[in-house]
């Protein structure tokens, strides 16, 4: 029973993008648009999969949310505040370079706690307290190590681990700081199939356990649908009346499931197959271009700020 | 005799073969030297240009265990004087590393220093030597200044480039884990580039020694470089050659120690892959 005037915690908006454009310059110093008028709202607890053809701007969109880049136009808000740079609220797992090569796995996972507990005066004037805290941090990191199944690998360096183990550690490294949202850019892209499946299940477990919000970029449609409670398709394959489109738009925004883990058998269900077919056709097929009026944006949080003028002139 | 090829790119050799192969040139050089010495002494027993082993040993004794006219054991005081100059310069290079690191991490420091350092790097240090002598006189300062002018910018620029080449993902990751800019520089970037920077410093030992000898040869009263230029007047090859060998040995040892340090202290650098 919802109490009037009090929003359900899970319905709190975390991420809010409105009228976002991102443009870059090419080699000839000519400007080109990568993201064209993106509107997006993500609520707490959601597992959002972002998919799209290669080079459509998925990583670019993720970098805007991360804060490592600024939009050319429009607003990117997180928790009702403008994003000005990467910070503790948003954790990130990249496909590569996620772990610090000079630290052991345990130290990598404890890194965030270490820097949080570190002050120069504290280090100098209360060295005993400092080393005690460091030990506590290691204990906590050890718990995460056990959770990711690397109990005995804490003193290894990243280059001594397999790709899958490294990505697990990278996820733990972010999770230990309890970020409000976990951003991931093709984190399993370099893994073999079976490791990839293990990692998917692992990630879903963490999602449930921590009640996290996840923003997951992938180019694997099946992965996107299996993992996500919501799928967003970013694509440059669409058309307008004028047919002079440039840059990608969100062409589909669909609910896949409740915020629950789907059974592995979902991958083989008809529902999944239909969804794959639909998304592939509407978003990923260069031959088929939907008109911007036809976009399927039926997720409840989806919105578009578009004026009559824009409808007609685009 | 399956494989008779000598120049085989896939060839692998055992430990002893490898050692034997690498020793050949050493032995050949030594042999040729003593052969020449022997020949020359047969013609002229007083030959000073190519001293024999016993003559050099004698010379070595005179500078290591017998006091000279001033009552000094020359080789040791020379080594001490030169070593001190070298170590002071080496210590000051720490600041080159810190500057390069900060240039690589903080754009404001980068813009402030980069062009200047790049230009500074191109100044031929030896050409500045007269200016140094005029400004700092003939004392220690000008010799250390010469070494620093010679290698400081190189080390700074090298550290800068290494800091720049740390993947930006690492810096972003650090920031999302709550690291401050200061911590990004000293806890994320610096530890990653230290082994490479140590290697660069090690390879620059040669340049440092070069500048040291140049400085000493022109203005000093003690030092390894000073000595060999002074005794050149007496064609004292029996001392010059041991001095040169001693300097090479010192340089080699210093290089070796740094290599050992990198290898043992930074095991994570081995066979890294993403
Ligand atoms: N810093 C930049 N400067 C210029 N162009 C850029 C820059 N970053 C990205 N681009 C361009 O923007 C477009 C989108 O790049 P982006 O990496 O976001 O795509 P993506 O969807 O993540 O692709 P992929 O599936 O291959 O990872 C590409 O055409 C790329 O060349
Ligand atoms: Mg990408």
């Amino acid at each position: 029973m919802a109490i009037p005037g009090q929003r359900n915690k899970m319905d709190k908006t975390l991420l809010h993008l409105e009228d976002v454009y991102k443009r870059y310059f090419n080699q000839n110093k000519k400007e080109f648009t990568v993201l064209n008028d993106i509107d997006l709202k993500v609520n707490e607890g959601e597992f959002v999969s972002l998919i799209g053809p290669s080079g459509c701007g998925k990583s670019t969109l993720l970098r805007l949310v991360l804060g490592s880049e600024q939009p050319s136009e429009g607003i990117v808000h997180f928790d009702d505040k403008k994003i000005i740079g990467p910070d503790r609220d948003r954790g990130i797992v990249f496909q590569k370079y996620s772990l610090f090569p000079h630290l052991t796995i345990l130290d990598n996972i404890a890194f965030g706690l270490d820097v949080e507990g570190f002050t120069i005066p504290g280090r100098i004037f209360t060295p005993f307290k400092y080393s005690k805290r460091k030990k506590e941090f290691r204990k906590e990191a050890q718990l995460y190590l056990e959770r990711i199944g690397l109990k005995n690998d804490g003193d290894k360096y990243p280059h001594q681990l397999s790709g899958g183990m490294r990505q697990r550690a990278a996820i733990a490294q972010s999770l230990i700081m309890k970020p409000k949202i976990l951003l991931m850019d093709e984190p399993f892209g370099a893994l073999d199939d079976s490791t990839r499946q293990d990692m998917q299940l692992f990630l879903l477990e963490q999602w449930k356990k921590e009640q996290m919000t996840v923003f997951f970029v992938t180019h694997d449609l099946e992965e996107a649908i299996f993992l996500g409670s919501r799928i967003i398709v970013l694509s440059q394959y669409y058309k307008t009346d004028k047919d002079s489109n440039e840059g990608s738009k969100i062409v589909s925004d669909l609910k896949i499931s409740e915020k629950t883990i789907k059974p592995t058998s979902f991958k083989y269900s008809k529902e999944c197959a239909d969804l794959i077919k639909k998304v592939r056709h509407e978003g990923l097929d260069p031959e088929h271009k939907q008109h911007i009026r036809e976009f399927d944006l039926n997720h409840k949080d989806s919105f578009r700020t578009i004026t009559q003028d824009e409808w007609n002139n685009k | 005799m399956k494989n008779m090829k000598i120049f085989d790119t896939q060839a692998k050799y055992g430990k002893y073969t490898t050692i034997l192969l690498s020793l050949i040139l050493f032995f050949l050089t030594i042999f040729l030297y003593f052969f020449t010495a022997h020949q020359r002494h047969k013609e002229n027993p007083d030959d000073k240009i190519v001293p024999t082993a016993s003559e050099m040993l004698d010379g070595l004794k005179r500078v290591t265990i017998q006091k000279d006219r001033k009552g000094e054991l020359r080789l040791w005081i020379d080594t001490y004087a030169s070593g001190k100059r070298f170590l002071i310069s080496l210590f000051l290079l720490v600041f080159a590393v810190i500057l390069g690191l900060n240039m690589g991490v903080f754009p404001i420091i980068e813009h402030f220093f980069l062009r200047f350092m790049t230009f500074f790097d191109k100044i031929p240090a030896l050409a500045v030597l007269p200016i140094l002598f005029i400004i700092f006189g003939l004392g220690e300062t000008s010799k250390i200044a010469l070494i620093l002018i010679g290698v400081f910018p190189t080390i700074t620029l090298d550290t800068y480039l290494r800091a720049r080449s740390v993947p930006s993902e690492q810096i972003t990751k650090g920031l999302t884990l709550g690291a401050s800019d200061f911590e990004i520089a000293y806890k994320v970037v610096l530890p990653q580039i230290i082994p490479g920077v140590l290697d660069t410093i090690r390879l620059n030992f040669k340049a440092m020694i070069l500048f040291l000898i140049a400085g000493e040869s022109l203005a000093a009263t003690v030092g390894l470089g000073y000595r060999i230029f002074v005794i050149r007047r007496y064609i004292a090859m029996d001392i010059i050659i041991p001095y040169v060998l001693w300097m090479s040995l010192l340089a080699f040892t210093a290089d070796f120690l740094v290599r050992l340090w990198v290898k043992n202290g930074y095991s994570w650098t081995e066979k890294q892959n993403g």
Side-chain angles (χ1 to χ4, degrees):
Chain A
M1 193 186 77
I3 302 160
Q6 188 179 341
R7 278 195 301 184
N8 185 339
K9 177 181 176 282
M10 279 309 189
D11 279 341
K12 185 173 168 239
T13 300
L14 263 191
L15 191 61
H16 184 105
L17 279 75
E18 202 169 316
D19 304 331
V20 169
Y21 289 82
K22 182 68 190 176
R23 303 185 188 93
Y24 286 119
F25 288 94
N26 65 11
Q27 293 98 317
N28 310 324
K29 304 250 156 100
K30 254 198 79 186
E31 206 173 35
F32 68 101
T33 307
V34 175
L35 298 177
N36 184 335
D37 199 7
I38 304 289
D39 296 317
L40 173 66
K41 206 172 90 178
V42 174
N43 280 356
E44 221 167 38
E46 199 86 62
F47 195 125
V48 182
S49 295
L50 179 67
I51 192 159
S54 180
C56 70
K58 302 182 291 293
S59 300
T60 304
L61 181 58
L62 189 102
R63 286 197 295 271
L64 295 182
V65 175
L66 185 59
S68 59
E69 279 185 46
Q70 298 295 321
S72 311
E73 232 180 272
I75 58 170
V76 182
H77 279 190
F78 185 80
D79 232 1
D80 299 326
K81 284 186 295 287
K82 185 169 182 272
I83 292 176
I84 44 176
D87 61 42
R88 271 212 43 190
D89 287 345
R90 296 175 305 283
I92 176 82
V93 176
F94 294 108
Q95 182 176 347
K96 271 167 74 187
Y97 306 120
S98 260
L99 294 172
F100 301 123
H102 62 286
L103 297 178
T104 62
I105 300 304
L106 191 67
D107 287 344
N108 257 293
I109 294 177
F111 181 89
L113 299 174
D114 279 346
V115 295
E116 195 177 48
F118 177 86
T119 56
I120 293 177
R123 178 88 179 82
I124 296 171
F125 298 116
T126 51
F128 180 69
K129 207 167 124 200
Y130 177 79
S131 62
K132 195 173 136 211
R133 284 189 74 179
K134 254 189 118 132
K135 261 193 213 113
E136 284 165 13
F137 294 155
R138 298 268 152 330
K139 248 187 229 153
E140 192 173 341
Q142 186 64 36
L143 292 181
Y144 276 81
L145 265 182
E146 279 164 33
R147 220 162 103 183
I148 60 176
L150 297 178
K151 195 163 70 180
N152 301 318
D153 298 307
D155 53 0
K156 289 195 178 140
Y157 285 98
H159 77 266
Q160 294 169 304
L161 299 187
S162 70
M165 289 153 108
R166 276 206 290 266
Q167 287 310 72
R168 272 169 208 259
I171 292 172
Q173 184 187 37
S174 289
L175 287 186
I176 201 168
M177 299 313 286
K178 306 206 183 309
K180 292 183 183 156
I181 190 170
L182 183 62
L183 310 173
M184 307 179 96
D185 194 351
E186 304 196 19
F188 310 146
L191 305 180
D192 66 79
D193 242 13
S194 72
T195 314
R196 197 180 176 119
Q197 281 188 22
D198 290 348
M199 293 298 292
Q200 291 171 354
L201 294 174
F202 167 74
L203 178 60
L204 287 173
E205 274 166 31
Q206 308 307 315
W207 173 53
K208 214 60 248 175
K209 202 176 282 171
E210 300 277 338
Q211 307 249 308
M212 311 191 275
T213 313
V214 180
F215 193 86
F216 189 94
V217 171
T218 176
H219 60 249
D220 180 333
L221 189 46
E222 191 182 279
E223 178 172 76
I225 289 173
F226 175 61
L227 291 177
S229 59
R230 171 178 179 186
I231 185 169
I232 292 175
V233 185
L234 189 70
S235 178
Q236 62 273 55
Y237 307 135
Y238 61 87
K239 65 182 175 203
T240 60
D241 287 343
K242 277 191 165 176
D243 225 19
S244 61
N245 57 311
E246 203 200 348
S248 299
K249 286 179 177 291
I250 293 178
V251 301
S252 312
D253 185 346
L254 310 169
K255 174 177 170 177
I256 302 174
S257 64
E258 293 305 320
K259 292 161 189 168
T260 50
I261 304 180
K262 295 177 275 294
T264 330
S265 61
F266 177 80
K267 281 188 181 176
Y268 312 105
S269 66
K270 175 154 190 314
E271 193 187 345
C272 181
D274 289 347
L275 203 51
I276 288 180
K277 223 168 116 190
K278 175 179 157 77
V279 171
R280 187 164 284 148
H281 182 62
E282 291 178 359
L284 309 180
D285 181 3
E287 303 299 319
H288 174 254
K289 294 189 171 158
Q290 291 186 97
H291 192 277
I292 53 170
R293 281 179 226 267
E294 301 167 343
F295 291 168
D296 186 351
L297 305 171
N298 72 20
H299 191 277
K300 68 175 175 37
D301 297 328
S302 183
F303 73 106
R304 261 206 292 194
T305 56
I306 193 159
T307 60
Q308 195 59 41
D309 219 31
E310 284 179 303
W311 273 124
N312 298 336
N313 290 320
K314 277 208 172 171
Chain B
M1 284 292 170
K2 275 178 290 176
N3 193 348
M4 291 294 291
K5 272 202 310 190
I6 295 180
F7 298 105
D8 178 354
T9 55
Q10 305 300 309
K12 288 197 173 63
Y13 300 103
K15 195 170 152 196
Y16 295 110
T17 323
T18 318
I19 293 178
L20 210 67
L21 276 174
S22 24
L23 285 181
I24 292 175
L25 275 181
F26 283 100
F27 280 125
L28 206 64
T29 313
I30 293 169
F31 171 78
L32 273 179
Y33 177 86
F34 287 118
F35 181 72
T36 316
H38 182 73
Q39 291 300 91
R40 290 184 68 115
H41 277 78
K42 246 191 347 202
E43 280 170 30
N44 172 16
D46 289 333
D47 180 72
K48 289 187 87 172
I49 311 293
V50 191
T52 59
S54 62
E55 281 170 340
M56 281 194 287
L57 217 62
D58 218 43
L60 197 59
K61 263 190 211 148
R62 264 183 285 135
V63 291
T64 51
I65 49 180
Q66 293 168 10
K67 291 186 174 152
D68 67 359
R69 268 174 288 127
K70 280 192 248 163
E72 287 165 341
L73 299 169
R74 278 182 184 172
L75 183 82
W76 304 128
I77 60 160
D78 286 338
T79 306
Y80 176 73
S82 296
K84 199 164 111 187
R85 289 167 193 148
F86 183 81
L87 288 177
I88 290 174
S89 317
L90 197 59
F91 170 74
L92 292 174
L93 285 182
V94 170
F95 295 100
V97 174
I98 293 176
L99 176 60
L101 169 72
N102 284 285
M103 279 166 64
V105 178
F106 299 105
I108 182 157
I109 301 181
E110 175 185 9
H111 298 322
F112 192 79
F113 282 103
L114 183 58
R115 298 239 160 70
F116 180 76
M117 275 294 165
T118 311
F119 180 76
F120 188 13
D121 189 45
K122 298 297 167 292
I123 299 177
L126 286 175
V128 187
L129 195 54
I131 304 177
L132 293 177
F133 284 158
I134 291 168
I135 298 176
F136 296 118
L138 304 180
E140 293 300 291
T141 320
S142 52
K143 284 186 271 293
I144 288 167
L146 175 68
I147 299 178
L148 289 181
I149 289 175
V151 296
F152 195 101
T154 316
I155 304 290
T156 302
L157 290 175
D158 181 80
T159 310
Y160 159 74
L161 289 176
R162 284 176 194 278
R164 283 292 304 266
S165 65
V166 169
S168 64
E169 284 93 337
Q170 295 257 310
I171 292 166
T172 308
K173 181 95 192 195
L175 290 172
T176 64
L177 295 174
S180 63
D181 293 301
F182 173 82
E183 285 162 332
I184 291 292
Y186 289 89
K187 289 191 164 173
V188 175
V189 178
L190 181 63
Q192 293 194 36
I193 61 173
I194 278 276
V197 169
L198 284 176
D199 265 336
T200 306
I201 293 181
R202 172 173 75 80
L203 293 173
N204 273 283
F205 280 174
K206 189 172 170 152
M208 290 173 70
I209 293 170
L210 183 76
F211 292 123
L212 177 64
I213 293 176
E216 286 181 345
S217 70
L218 291 172
T221 51
V222 62
L224 294 165
Y226 159 77
R227 191 73 58 196
I228 52 175
F229 275 85
V230 168
I231 56 183
R232 179 193 59 105
R233 285 182 227 145
Y234 314 107
I235 323 182
M237 285 291 259
D238 54 340
I239 293 177
I240 295 181
I241 293 175
Y243 257 72
V244 171
L245 291 176
W246 173 239
M247 284 192 261
S248 317
L249 186 69
L250 286 178
F252 178 81
T253 310
D255 182 279
F256 178 74
L257 288 178
V258 177
R259 261 188 297 158
L260 207 66
W261 175 15
V262 172
K263 190 164 166 243
N264 293 331
Y266 303 93
S267 62
W268 54 266
T269 50
E270 283 165 44
K271 62 172 171 64
Q272 249 190 75
N273 44 16

